[in-house]
Amino acid sequence: MEDDRQIPIHEGNVFGGGKVPESMAGPEVVASSIPVLDSYGPEWEKTKLARENIDKLKQALNKVALGMRPVYDTKGELAAETDTGKKLELQVLFDKQVESLGVAIQELKALQVLFEDKELIELIEHTEIEGKKVQDMPKDELDTSLESIRRRQQKCFGLMKKMLEEIKKHKAEFLKNQKE
């Protein structure tokens, strides 16, 4: 037992953590003289911001679409339910779903100020209208609305893809001009 106590124990943590002896230390790390660029010119920044805004729009469209189906389904269950206790539970759930959908619609509407493109503004407006009238839609109209929103999301994907190509082009042009 005494032999076990004489074995030196490393005080570092699982990942090392102990102090490196000076004899094992390497040369000091010298900061690179090459500056790291985080911007590639105003066109690059403008396009990058526009792409980020389209991504926000795509996410907001998704939130509205995900909120529409539960509202529709719960409203149908609520209308069919005869048990008072269960009906009360469904009403609470329905009210929360409607509130959540309303928040998603407001977040989508708030994005409207980010865009000058009339087509994108109309896209937001149509989705807002569909989201607000989900409670009064027949099932086939709901399915059509959800399909329309899915196509709008695909349009956003397409725009983002084009913008990514523009971002790459602006970066390459900027770096080319820096070398000259």
Side-chain angles (χ1 to χ4, degrees):
M1 286 282 185
E2 290 182 27
D3 293 335
D4 289 339
R5 291 184 207 157
Q6 294 176 0
I7 298 173
I9 298 174
H10 177 54
E11 297 294 327
N13 63 25
V14 181
F15 303 107
K19 186 175 180 183
V20 177
E22 288 183 32
S23 63
M24 294 179 66
E28 282 189 43
V29 177
V30 180
S32 174
S33 61
I34 301 171
V36 178
L37 295 175
D38 60 348
S39 176
Y40 299 96
E43 286 300 316
W44 179 86
E45 288 180 12
K46 180 180 171 188
T47 307
K48 186 171 167 108
L49 179 62
R51 186 174 189 274
E52 290 170 1
N53 290 340
I54 294 288
D55 187 46
K56 289 176 186 174
L57 174 59
K58 178 182 62 73
Q59 291 173 12
L61 288 169
N62 190 50
K63 280 178 91 174
V64 171
L66 290 175
M68 289 173 69
R69 175 71 69 182
V71 167
Y72 178 84
D73 291 344
T74 305
K75 182 175 182 187
E77 289 178 39
L78 192 56
E81 187 58 54
T82 55
D83 179 21
T84 309
K86 180 81 172 165
K87 197 166 190 137
L88 185 60
E89 288 176 24
L90 282 172
Q91 185 64 51
V92 169
L93 175 63
F94 179 73
D95 291 343
K96 287 180 181 178
Q97 291 170 338
V98 169
E99 182 181 347
S100 179
L101 178 59
V103 168
I105 291 169
Q106 288 303 317
E107 289 173 1
L108 176 68
K109 183 124 177 92
L111 293 175
Q112 208 167 12
V113 298
L114 299 175
F115 302 103
E116 295 174 4
D117 185 345
K118 188 175 179 106
E119 192 174 346
L120 290 175
I121 292 171
E122 287 176 2
L123 180 147
I124 292 170
E125 290 171 349
H126 289 311
T127 305
E128 176 189 9
I129 291 167
E130 290 170 340
K132 285 181 177 178
K133 68 179 190 173
V134 69
Q135 296 179 46
D136 302 321
M137 287 182 179
K139 183 172 180 350
D140 60 331
E141 190 177 338
L142 172 70
D143 292 338
T144 302
S145 290
L146 291 173
E147 180 62 26
S148 296
I149 293 172
R150 188 185 63 74
R151 283 193 302 272
R152 292 174 195 143
Q153 288 173 307
Q154 289 174 339
K155 180 181 179 73
C156 290
F157 275 122
L159 289 171
M160 289 174 66
K161 186 176 179 182
K162 285 180 188 176
M163 288 178 178
L164 183 59
E165 293 303 315
E166 286 181 43
I167 288 168
K168 289 177 182 178
K169 184 182 88 176
H170 292 310
K171 179 179 177 180
E173 287 174 2
F174 181 84
L175 293 174
K176 180 183 169 191
N177 291 337
Q178 289 290 75
K179 288 180 182 180
E180 293 175 358

